[in-house]
Amino acid sequence: IISVLLLTISFGVSSFADVIFEMDQKQISPEATHKTKGMVKGNNFKMEFYENGEKPDGAMIYRGDKKEMIMVNHQDKSYVVLDEATMNELVGVMSEAMAQFEEAMKDATPEERAMMEKMMKGRMPGMGNNEIIEPVIKKAGSTKVNSYSCTLYDVYRGDDKTSQHCVASWSSIEGGNEMKTVMLEMAQFMDQMAKSFSKSKGFMGNQLQFENNVFAQLRKLNGFPVQTIDYQDGAVDSESQLVSSKKTTVNAADLEPPAGYTKQDMGLR
């Protein structure tokens, strides 16, 4: 989800109409399919996530008017609000957790440490990359994804290919020009969050900094990634595609947490 979030919002700039769009995601191992339905209204933006393509799983709402992000949990009918203060607190908690992990691993044998890092790498891609490596983006031809003509770009971290993005021009996407403003604004919000997280020591901060640098480079291409393929250890790990987009009228209430849902704090401390 985190990867889809960053890729969708990291490109972009004027807004004239409301827009809805759909994206499909496929995970290779364990095998799973997901769907994301997005909507744009002014400087507000929402992504609704569906497990196995059908069951509502959660939602993310960006409120440009309040400079905040809302994460909605449909399972327990609750939501949390992420603003700058909350993000800074979250960074502190993560840094503290990483310090505790390093302390716990201090007396571990090299074999035990390698085993633990391998386990965590499976859960958190990028684990073990303890140095910040600038991404290298290489043009890799062109193709067509669904009805969109796009240019392929491969992303490398050192010698490892981490992802491939097929970037289509905004003008080739219905509602593309309308999507740019809010996505660019949200990208700036996420950029600030990534910079905050990158201050934390260890693999998590370095991985987020790497991904943020990737998105910064891709933004310069002035287009939208209609297809993204992520790789893990040389094999395809997941794939996402833009399926459709449409100019329409979006009800402002649809960009709020559902009625009856309870606001919760993140319980960081």
Side-chain angles (χ1 to χ4, degrees):
I1 291 176
I2 293 293
S3 293
V4 174
L5 254 180
L6 287 169
L7 287 168
T8 303
I9 61 180
S10 293
F11 298 79
V13 81
S14 99
S15 183
F16 309 103
D18 303 341
V19 180
I20 58 173
F21 63 90
E22 288 192 12
M23 298 185 72
D24 284 344
Q25 293 86 36
K26 178 173 65 176
Q27 184 175 309
I28 305 303
S29 180
E31 187 175 346
T33 58
H34 306 280
K35 182 179 290 291
T36 299
K37 295 183 179 181
M39 59 180 67
V40 172
K41 187 176 185 66
N43 61 342
N44 296 330
F45 175 62
K46 179 181 181 181
M47 294 175 70
E48 190 85 41
F49 307 107
Y50 293 82
E51 184 180 350
N52 296 321
E54 300 176 353
K55 181 182 177 182
D57 185 44
M60 181 282 301
I61 302 169
Y62 173 68
R63 294 296 307 268
D65 53 353
K66 297 181 179 180
K67 295 295 186 292
E68 66 184 21
M69 184 182 296
I70 302 170
M71 306 303 295
V72 179
N73 186 331
H74 292 308
Q75 308 243 339
D76 61 9
K77 296 186 177 181
S78 67
Y79 65 94
V80 296
V81 178
L82 272 171
D83 54 18
E84 186 175 357
T86 306
M87 286 192 296
N88 289 335
E89 186 178 0
L90 182 57
V91 169
V93 171
M94 289 179 59
S95 296
E96 185 178 311
M98 284 305 302
Q100 292 174 354
F101 172 76
E102 290 295 334
E103 181 65 24
M105 295 299 294
K106 185 172 61 176
D107 298 324
T109 66
E111 292 78 14
E112 290 172 334
R113 188 177 185 90
M115 183 181 297
M116 180 62 71
E117 291 188 348
K118 184 177 181 179
M119 289 173 57
M120 294 190 70
K121 183 177 181 180
R123 297 182 181 181
M124 300 180 182
M127 172 67 183
N129 297 313
N130 288 321
E131 60 176 312
I132 297 177
I133 302 175
E134 285 296 319
V136 175
I137 298 180
K138 299 180 180 180
K139 192 173 180 179
S142 60
T143 188
K144 180 170 282 191
V145 175
N146 297 322
S147 61
Y148 307 105
S149 297
C150 53
T151 303
L152 293 164
Y153 295 92
D154 292 337
V155 179
Y156 290 85
R157 182 172 191 155
D159 295 329
D160 297 328
K161 183 176 176 179
T162 61
S163 60
Q164 181 183 78
H165 309 280
C166 204
V167 179
S169 66
W170 286 108
S171 61
S172 68
I173 301 169
E174 182 174 352
N177 290 327
E178 287 78 4
M179 293 161 64
K180 287 198 295 185
T181 296
V182 66
M183 289 187 175
L184 179 61
E185 183 177 320
M186 187 173 172
Q188 293 171 340
F189 179 87
M190 295 295 290
D191 181 64
Q192 184 59 45
M193 183 171 71
K195 287 178 179 177
S196 297
F197 279 116
S198 68
K199 294 175 185 177
S200 64
K201 296 180 179 179
F203 72 92
M204 191 64 159
N206 292 337
Q207 177 66 11
L208 283 169
Q209 184 62 56
F210 174 81
E211 292 183 357
N212 193 51
N213 290 344
V214 171
F215 304 141
Q217 290 194 36
L218 290 174
R219 276 201 298 271
K220 297 176 183 177
L221 302 176
N222 193 31
F224 187 86
V226 294
Q227 177 178 267
T228 294
I229 300 174
D230 291 315
Y231 296 88
Q232 182 72 36
D233 296 327
V236 174
D237 183 59
S238 64
E239 178 181 338
S240 66
Q241 292 186 357
L242 177 66
V243 177
S244 65
S245 65
K246 180 182 178 181
K247 293 182 181 180
T248 186
T249 299
V250 173
N251 190 330
D254 291 336
L255 287 101
E256 299 285 349
Y261 279 38
T262 304
K263 181 180 179 180
Q264 296 183 347
D265 63 42
M266 297 192 67
L268 297 176
R269 300 289 182 181

